[in-house]
């Protein structure tokens, strides 16, 4: 289907269903991890990012550092 899409809802390290990291991670480091998840693990060439609260900070770094992959950004 041409108009189909997949929603990926990762949790930040230490929140939700994720284990706490062994050392503190910056929002920029987490953005890099999420880009690796989307591009390397899931094989997405481009994707849209959305975030609120801490996720907004992480998503902002994601869009800044990986603009070639982030097709859109929504913050709340």
């Amino acid at each position: 289907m041409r108009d189909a899409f997949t929603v990926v809802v990762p949790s930040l390290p230490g929140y939700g269903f994720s284990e706490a990291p062994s050392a503190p991670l910056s929002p920029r480091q987490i953005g890099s991890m999420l880009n690796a998840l989307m591009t390397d693990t899931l094989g997405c060439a481009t994707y849209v990012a959305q975030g609120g609260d801490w996720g907004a900070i992480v998503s902002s770094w994601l869009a800044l550092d990986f603009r070639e992959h982030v097709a859109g950004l929504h913050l709340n």
Side-chain angles (χ1 to χ4, degrees):
M1 288 182 97
R2 187 165 185 226
D3 294 332
F5 59 90
T6 300
V7 176
V8 178
V9 186
S11 55
L12 298 177
Y15 294 89
F17 299 107
S18 298
E19 293 183 16
S22 58
L25 295 170
S26 71
R28 194 171 200 171
Q29 290 172 303
I30 296 170
S32 181
M33 293 169 62
L34 293 179
N35 181 69
L37 169 69
M38 296 303 295
T39 58
D40 300 339
T41 305
L42 299 177
C44 300
T46 60
Y47 53 89
V48 174
Q50 188 281 332
D53 198 25
W54 277 102
I57 299 167
V58 171
S59 294
S60 294
W61 281 115
L62 186 64
L64 180 67
D65 290 341
F66 303 99
R67 62 188 77 188
E68 68 275 13
H69 297 292
V70 179
L73 176 64
H74 178 265
L75 305 174
N76 63 312

